[in-house]
Amino acid sequence: MAKKQFKAESKRLLDMMINSIYTHREIFLRELISNASDAVDKLAYRALTDDKVAVKRKDFQINLIPDKAAGTLTVTDNGIGMTKEELEKNLGTIARSGSLQFKQEMEKAEKTPKGAKNVDIIGQFGVGFYSAFMVADTVTVRSKAYGSDEAWEWQSDGADGYTLEPCEKESVGTEIILHIKPDTEEEKYSEYLETYRLQELVKKYSDYVHTPIRMEVSHTHMKERPADAGEDYRPEYETHTEVETLNSMVPLWQRQKSRVKQEEYDQFYKEKFADWEEPLATIHVSAEGQMEYKTLLFIPAHAPFDYYSKDYEKGLQLYSSGVLIMDKCPEVVPDHFSFVKGVVDSQDLPLNISRETLQHTRALHIIESNVEKKVKAELLKLQKEDREKYLKFWKGFARQLKYGTVNQYGAKKEVLQDLLLFRSSGGEEFTTLKEYVERMPEGQESIFYLCAESVELARALPQAERVLDKGYEILYFTDEVDEFVAQTLMQYEGKSFKSAADPDALPETEEEKTQAEQKTEANRPVLDFVKEALGDRVSDVRLSRVLKSGAVCMTTDGPLSLEMEKYFRKMGDDMGGMKAQRVLELNADSPVYSALCQAVAQDPEKAKKYAELLYDQALIIAGLGVEDTARYTELVCSLMV
Ligand code: ADP
């Protein structure tokens, strides 16, 4: 029989198709199922306009028939089928899409028949079919077109043209028979003959194709143990086969929000994203406008175990007409909300020819900025209406939001600042910046904070007293990144951030300033004495302007604070040995200071020990711990006796 030849360029194109367009071989099944589904949709569309079409929607089906003995996988449908001419045109010409043409004609049709909205044609590039040659060395297509009484068989080995001849086929529709390639060392093609693998692929790529995809699946059960079974009874097994529908068909996100129960969302989330816990929030949006798409987003209740590691990959599942295009599309989720899980489904996606990726990113940007908006609004709502849930969210993702605020020089601070929570001197609860500012009494000009390792340590910091006595609240920065957050934000609602330990935190009159200077001068000899006793351990010893009843505290000079030093050290960065410049502050009004002065005058040896002890005490209060514990105990003991 004479073979018809592919046109020369078609041959090369076909070779390209088979070898370089697709990254995943397994995608061939998605493509064949998409074609079958299109064929069914076309006939269903016909039925809407033509009373003579007797097929009912419920009778439509796609069948997968793996045959290990014959080494074939057959995909059948009872859709519209192809005539001889159509087989030739559609399968003999690469990049010719009968489906695209159908879609265009449908759109041009003067009036769309009722129900036609459900016709959602997938094909458009006219190449998907050839992906079959990635796994098959010969492909046979047997088809009978609707309204025709002859059937035709098309066959090709992919490289060397195709044959076309009449065949016997009773029912309308198409049968695609793939002669699966023999296994090689690198590739196990025979897996496409295994039912479990086919089930997996349908679930992964074609779960939401709205025609049932059916396959015979066998199940093995243990037989019931007979009542009279003796001790040496061995369990017996029996196998039975059953034709099962593999796909779930109606995607949750295509349904009307009001018709979906929360339990259904929860169930979907848990199954799809392998989480044991229900999501904290579900966002279901049907977007129209610049782009039409549906999206279902979830905010997990806890951070996945690898969330803060390099292994974590953010992204949403991308679907086009119910067919999976990408499992994790990172571009549609902003970095600072990388915890969001979910799906996006749109017919407006600029698909790449392989339908594995997208061509350009404008559409993705539109989706991304919408995801950002929706997630932020949902989180704010949670924060307001269900603080307990929000706290749970905060527990898992505080770090993410704080780093998100600091990253890229604060590019996203406007988006994130209202989502942040802090502990404060105000009580046991977390507070937002907004709530803090709302509570600010008249006369308070700044947002005060104190850095400490824990809330308990922060509460014990003697530096706080002066600010607290004024009736001002202090935010406790107990996370290393908090201070950077404040530095990045710079201000919130026009109020700047100030450390309560900063002598200039509270406004001072000129008179107060002169008084303080005079006092320092009067105490100069004692301060110099202590500085000398401590040597390089401190860069300065001062009279404190921040202490009220406490005797000592540790502060710093220069840009590097103690908390930052700790932070960098923890990150494994020793800053070239750079340390925060420690400053010991003494409270001239405390009884301890009087004792120190007395010792300086009468017993310099003892005074030196006092100086060291006060230094150690300041370290302990700052949460830094004593540097030389042996020396510390020795000091305490020697001063007691
Ligand atoms: P696409 O699906 O992107 O159009 P394909 O290369 O997969 O491209 O298919 C080419 C054309 O062949 C389709 O547009 C369709 O007209 C026709 N076709 C493929 N498979 C079938 C099928 N199972 N039933 C009817 N027509 C089909």
Side-chain angles (χ1 to χ4, degrees):
M1 172 190 11
K3 271 190 177 172
K4 306 213 178 190
Q5 289 299 305
F6 285 117
K7 293 187 191 113
E9 60 276 24
S10 304
K11 252 187 196 166
R12 277 194 49 214
L13 205 54
L14 189 60
D15 190 58
M16 255 172 56
M17 204 70 50
I18 300 166
N19 298 306
S20 37
I21 284 199
Y22 297 97
T23 5
H24 302 104
R25 266 204 184 82
E26 62 187 31
I27 258 179
F28 80 93
L29 190 64
R30 181 192 78 173
E31 294 301 316
L32 296 183
I33 289 175
S34 298
N35 283 347
S37 160
D38 280 351
V40 160
D41 278 353
K42 287 175 200 167
L43 188 53
Y45 182 82
R46 268 282 188 82
L48 295 172
T49 50
D50 182 351
D51 298 339
K52 288 199 286 295
V53 182
V55 220
K56 296 212 173 62
R57 183 98 232 178
K58 69 172 180 29
D59 299 327
F60 285 124
Q61 51 175 279
I62 298 166
N63 277 283
L64 304 185
I65 309 156
D67 181 341
K68 276 191 193 165
T72 58
L73 171 64
T74 304
V75 180
T76 75
D77 67 70
N78 52 355
I80 197 152
M82 281 176 276
T83 60
K84 182 187 178 205
E85 290 68 37
E86 282 167 336
L87 278 166
E88 202 154 0
K89 266 197 310 201
N90 294 335
L91 305 186
T93 324
I94 295 168
R96 195 199 129 80
S97 171
S99 292
L100 181 64
Q101 194 187 345
F102 181 88
K103 191 148 73 175
Q104 286 161 347
E105 278 164 17
M106 198 169 77
E107 277 157 12
K108 266 194 287 188
E110 274 184 9
K111 55 176 200 264
T112 19
K114 244 176 100 195
K117 269 194 106 182
N118 296 332
V119 183
D120 185 4
I121 299 292
I122 305 164
Q124 53 173 314
F125 296 117
V127 299
F129 169 77
Y130 304 101
S131 64
F133 291 105
M134 290 193 293
V135 301
D137 40 31
T138 310
V139 177
T140 310
V141 179
R142 296 156 56 83
S143 195
K144 185 175 190 177
Y146 172 76
S148 161
D149 36 48
E150 49 184 47
W152 286 84
E153 182 176 294
W154 179 102
Q155 187 163 23
S156 172
D157 60 5
D160 204 18
Y162 60 92
T163 58
L164 192 55
E165 55 182 303
C167 70
E168 284 302 313
K169 187 176 188 303
E170 208 148 291
S171 55
V172 168
T174 304
E175 237 172 66
I176 314 238
I177 306 153
L178 310 183
H179 303 260
I180 299 294
K181 292 183 186 177
D183 287 348
T184 64
E185 250 169 50
E186 295 97 59
E187 206 57 47
K188 212 173 154 270
Y189 296 101
S190 58
E191 66 178 344
Y192 301 118
L193 297 170
E194 302 285 352
T195 49
Y196 79 88
R197 182 73 175 121
L198 297 168
Q199 272 174 303
E200 201 177 275
L201 290 178
V202 169
K203 268 286 170 210
K204 181 166 175 189
Y205 292 106
S206 313
D207 202 27
Y208 307 110
V209 164
H210 49 240
T211 305
I213 303 165
R214 299 166 64 77
M215 182 171 68
E216 194 168 89
V217 182
S218 49
H219 297 276
T220 304
H221 302 277
M222 202 197 289
K223 276 191 184 167
E224 207 174 303
R225 187 192 166 99
D228 59 352
E231 274 209 354
D232 55 350
Y233 174 76
R234 290 266 170 279
E236 286 177 45
Y237 295 90
E238 64 186 345
T239 301
H240 74 272
T241 51
E242 213 170 47
V243 176
E244 277 180 18
T245 299
L246 309 180
N247 51 334
S248 39
M249 297 189 275
V250 183
L252 213 55
W253 59 86
Q254 293 290 6
R255 286 166 53 189
Q256 238 173 46
K257 200 167 149 180
S258 56
R259 298 266 172 87
V260 187
K261 290 202 208 78
Q262 187 57 45
E263 297 88 79
E264 289 178 275
Y265 286 129
D266 290 351
Q267 187 67 16
F268 174 83
Y269 166 80
K270 289 200 280 189
E271 268 172 29
K272 185 140 230 144
F273 301 106
D275 196 348
W276 42 267
E277 202 173 354
E278 284 79 31
L280 272 190
T282 307
I283 307 167
H284 186 172
V285 191
S286 180
E288 274 160 23
Q290 278 174 298
M291 238 190 108
E292 250 180 62
Y293 63 91
K294 300 223 159 60
T295 173
L296 189 51
L297 307 172
F298 298 98
I299 299 172
H302 60 105
F305 73 95
D306 62 349
Y307 187 63
Y308 291 105
S309 80
K310 282 195 202 75
D311 298 336
Y312 182 80
E313 286 175 69
K314 62 162 187 165
L316 300 181
Q317 282 198 333
L318 224 55
Y319 286 84
S320 180
S321 305
V323 176
L324 181 69
I325 304 299
M326 254 174 129
D327 192 33
K328 267 185 188 155
C329 176
E331 287 94 344
V332 289
V333 186
D335 276 340
H336 45 281
F337 291 154
S338 62
F339 47 81
V340 173
K341 303 259 187 219
V343 302
V344 177
D345 192 344
S346 174
Q347 274 178 275
D348 295 347
L349 292 172
L351 298 182
N352 176 290
I353 192 164
S354 68
R355 304 199 300 144
E356 287 178 294
T357 48
L358 303 175
Q359 282 171 2
H360 51 81
T361 51
R362 205 185 70 89
L364 298 181
H365 277 310
I366 296 173
I367 299 176
E368 185 202 18
S369 71
N370 211 356
V371 167
E372 178 179 90
K373 236 188 286 163
K374 295 284 174 197
V375 171
K376 180 179 172 180
E378 187 65 32
L379 287 173
L380 282 177
K381 191 174 132 207
L382 220 59
Q383 192 191 73
K384 250 212 185 106
E385 294 170 9
D386 193 342
R387 189 54 79 97
E388 202 175 312
K389 259 196 184 170
Y390 192 76
L391 285 174
K392 192 163 164 70
F393 163 77
W394 184 247
K395 198 167 161 225
F397 301 106
R399 229 170 106 191
Q400 170 66 68
L401 293 196
K402 288 175 183 179
Y403 280 91
T405 308
V406 172
N407 282 348
Q408 295 175 278
Y409 308 101
K412 288 291 170 186
K413 62 182 182 184
E414 301 283 332
V415 177
L416 299 175
Q417 57 185 7
D418 283 317
L419 298 174
L420 303 174
L421 293 184
F422 298 96
R423 289 291 301 275
S424 82
S425 61
E428 292 307 313
E429 307 286 323
F430 277 93
T431 178
T432 64
L433 292 174
K434 197 176 201 76
E435 291 159 350
Y436 176 97
V437 169
E438 276 165 10
R439 284 192 297 265
M440 277 170 64
E442 206 160 319
Q444 181 180 348
E445 281 160 21
S446 321
I447 299 172
F448 294 106
Y449 66 84
L450 266 180
C451 297
E453 213 135 283
S454 67
V455 172
E456 290 64 42
L457 280 171
R459 287 202 202 291
L461 280 178
Q463 291 98 309
E465 204 178 340
R466 189 178 59 128
V467 175
L468 292 177
D469 279 0
K470 284 236 167 227
Y472 301 161
E473 188 177 346
I474 300 175
L475 296 177
Y476 294 147
F477 285 180
T478 53
D479 208 347
E480 293 117 345
V481 69
D482 288 346
E483 207 177 353
F484 294 98
V485 170
Q487 278 184 1
T488 307
L489 293 180
M490 291 191 293
Q491 44 108 347
Y492 179 82
E493 287 189 0
K495 314 283 180 205
S496 58
F497 287 87
K498 279 224 166 89
S499 165
D502 180 346
D504 298 322
L506 293 176
E508 253 182 351
T509 61
E510 281 309 311
E511 204 190 315
E512 282 169 324
K513 272 185 199 154
T514 342
Q515 259 179 14
E517 275 160 28
Q518 283 168 352
K519 206 166 167 185
T520 296
E521 277 327 298
N523 285 283
R524 182 55 59 205
V526 177
L527 298 175
D528 287 348
F529 178 92
V530 177
K531 167 74 181 95
E532 204 183 309
L534 295 176
D536 288 345
R537 280 178 275 182
V538 290
S539 67
D540 201 4
V541 178
R542 282 185 207 141
L543 281 196
S544 179
R545 284 156 62 200
V546 299
L547 291 175
K548 265 194 115 165
S549 62
V552 276
C553 69
M554 191 71 79
T555 55
T556 50
D557 267 353
L560 196 62
S561 72
L562 290 172
E563 297 311 311
M564 288 182 186
E565 180 192 306
K566 276 193 257 179
Y567 169 75
F568 285 118
R569 229 187 293 149
K570 219 171 180 173
M571 301 288 277
D573 183 351
D574 78 339
M575 307 273 290
M578 206 161 97
K579 271 185 148 190
Q581 295 176 37
R582 290 158 164 68
V583 175
L584 184 68
E585 293 198 3
L586 302 172
N587 180 359
D589 301 327
S590 69
V592 171
Y593 188 78
S594 312
L596 174 69
C597 291
Q598 213 177 5
V600 172
Q602 292 164 6
D603 186 351
E605 272 318 301
K606 191 169 171 189
K608 266 191 207 161
K609 290 181 182 169
Y610 277 172
E612 279 187 75
L613 202 58
L614 288 172
Y615 172 76
D616 283 343
Q617 218 175 336
L619 285 178
I620 295 171
I621 297 169
L624 288 162
V626 175
E627 284 157 1
D628 185 345
T629 39
R631 171 75 187 146
Y632 175 75
T633 25
E634 200 182 293
L635 273 175
V636 175
C637 295
S638 77
L639 285 168
M640 283 175 75
V641 286

